[in-house]
Amino acid sequence: MFKDLFHKKRKYATIPSGSLGNEDSVQPEERPKREIPEGLMNKCGKCGSIQYSKELEKNLKVCPSCGYHMRLNALDRIRITLDEGSFIEYDADLVSVDPLEFPGYATKLEQQTLKSGLREAVVTGQGTIGGLPAVVAVMSFDFFTGSMGSVVGEKITRAIEAATEQRLPLIIFSTSGGARMQESILSLMQMAKTSAALARLNEQGGLYISVITDPTTGGVSASFAMLGDIIIAEPGAVFGFAGRIVIEQTIRQKLPDDFQTAEFNLQHGQLDMVVHRKEIKATLCKLLDLHGVKGGV
């Protein structure tokens, strides 16, 4: 009995059939139901409207009803931002281990890889945007909530160093739940390491554009995400160091409803601009061009 009770069911949504004619005479429990395969439809996390997944993909995962920007996988972000066929990945074989032998961490890393299709929470490399070269690092929230462990910090640092050595502009797309606590101090050290690498890039006059996506919190927001020469964000993106609940409990005050959103931060001087996802590529291309970046990798 207990086995049947907890048996995992196939993931289908069911709706009453509307094409059976006189359904009023049929009892609710007797009405036939249609099965809709999982993944065919998507529900907006903000307004609740239902969209066909394929149509949502065409709209870059922006809800056509309310404009809510849903989260993108790192590979999808690269696909819609960089010129087709131009991306050359760095350090694809660099993956996390379990340096502190934290209970369950190794298993969770395997699970995250299977779930997200990524080997780490960031993908780095170089390519062109509108024909203009750049080094890019793209974080992905669907791998361990984009947490920054030692490998994430190392890959981003290497990308910064590549931009410095090749005198190319650097663009980092940030999204993160914070530092990866399974790696303790090794994770927290990445804040200083990435910041020091950016200081060297700045000394050489290199251009760094930081793109904030939802959400960007903790150690990532407290280090490289907020050190850009130009900082832009997608509409509605939440970013800051501590979470809303922690801040309210600390200061014992109610925060504004739009607190820590891109629009709130723009109003209070934390951002240079808020840019719709459909305009990100064109905006980056324009910024690269304005700063004298020449075509060719």
Side-chain angles (χ1 to χ4, degrees):
M1 180 180 73
F2 289 105
K3 181 180 179 181
D4 293 337
L5 182 62
F6 294 102
H7 180 68
K8 186 177 180 180
K9 297 181 180 179
R10 293 175 67 187
K11 294 183 179 180
Y12 281 91
T14 57
I15 59 173
S17 173
S19 59
L20 299 176
N22 186 19
E23 288 191 356
D24 293 337
S25 60
V26 182
Q27 295 298 319
E29 63 272 11
E30 296 176 355
R31 290 176 184 167
K33 296 181 178 181
R34 288 181 192 155
E35 291 186 338
I36 301 177
E38 184 184 24
L40 180 65
M41 311 290 285
N42 241 298
K43 182 178 181 180
C44 175
K46 184 176 182 181
C47 71
S49 63
I50 306 296
Q51 312 290 339
Y52 281 107
S53 296
K54 287 185 177 180
E55 293 301 316
L56 199 56
E57 293 286 345
K58 291 179 183 178
N59 206 41
L60 308 184
K61 289 193 175 180
V62 177
C63 177
S65 298
C66 69
Y68 175 64
H69 284 50
M70 302 178 188
R71 293 168 187 164
L72 282 180
N73 179 280
L75 300 179
D76 290 334
R77 177 79 63 178
I78 291 169
R79 176 179 55 80
I80 69 171
T81 306
L82 274 71
D83 299 336
E84 185 176 358
S86 72
F87 183 67
I88 302 170
E89 186 174 359
Y90 295 160
D91 304 310
D93 59 343
L94 204 61
V95 296
S96 290
V97 291
D98 188 9
L100 304 180
E101 298 183 355
F102 192 92
Y105 183 40
T107 301
K108 286 183 179 180
L109 286 171
E110 294 177 3
Q111 293 172 344
Q112 294 296 314
T113 297
L114 291 173
K115 183 191 75 167
S116 66
L118 300 171
R119 303 187 74 186
E120 249 307 335
V122 68
V123 177
T124 60
Q126 69 180 66
T128 60
I129 301 174
L132 303 176
V135 172
V136 297
V138 185
M139 301 191 72
S140 198
F141 197 80
D142 57 358
F143 188 101
F144 240 121
T145 65
S147 55
M148 181 167 64
S150 53
V151 169
V152 169
E154 179 66 17
K155 291 183 72 171
I156 289 175
T157 299
R158 291 187 185 188
I160 298 168
E161 291 173 344
T164 304
E165 292 167 6
Q166 299 178 54
R167 296 190 177 277
L168 290 174
L170 171 72
I171 302 170
I172 299 180
F173 290 84
S174 297
T175 178
S176 179
R180 193 174 300 176
M181 289 296 95
Q182 288 87 347
E183 296 184 23
S184 188
I185 190 64
L186 299 177
S187 174
L188 297 176
M189 287 167 59
Q190 307 311 311
M191 296 171 62
K193 185 166 72 175
T194 54
S195 298
L198 284 172
R200 290 190 291 271
L201 175 67
N202 183 65
E203 288 171 1
Q204 290 199 11
L207 172 65
Y208 167 37
I209 302 173
S210 176
V211 184
I212 306 292
T213 69
D214 183 67
T216 300
T217 60
V220 169
S221 69
S223 55
F224 59 84
M226 296 308 298
L227 292 177
D229 299 304
I230 302 169
I231 305 176
I232 66 180
E234 290 187 332
V238 171
F239 73 95
F241 181 64
R244 180 190 189 94
I245 294 176
V246 172
I247 296 173
E248 286 186 334
Q249 290 177 342
T250 301
I251 66 174
R252 301 185 184 279
Q253 292 182 29
K254 177 69 175 175
L255 296 169
D257 291 338
D258 62 346
F259 180 70
Q260 290 187 326
T261 63
E263 293 75 13
F264 180 92
N265 281 298
L266 177 64
Q267 183 181 356
H268 290 81
Q270 286 285 88
L271 283 176
D272 293 299
M273 62 184 85
V274 176
V275 182
H276 193 283
R277 184 172 292 166
K278 291 182 178 180
E279 300 299 325
I280 289 282
K281 181 173 182 177
T283 300
L284 291 175
C285 187
K286 184 181 295 184
L287 289 172
L288 294 176
D289 183 52
L290 285 172
H291 284 80
V293 179
K294 305 298 181 183
V297 178

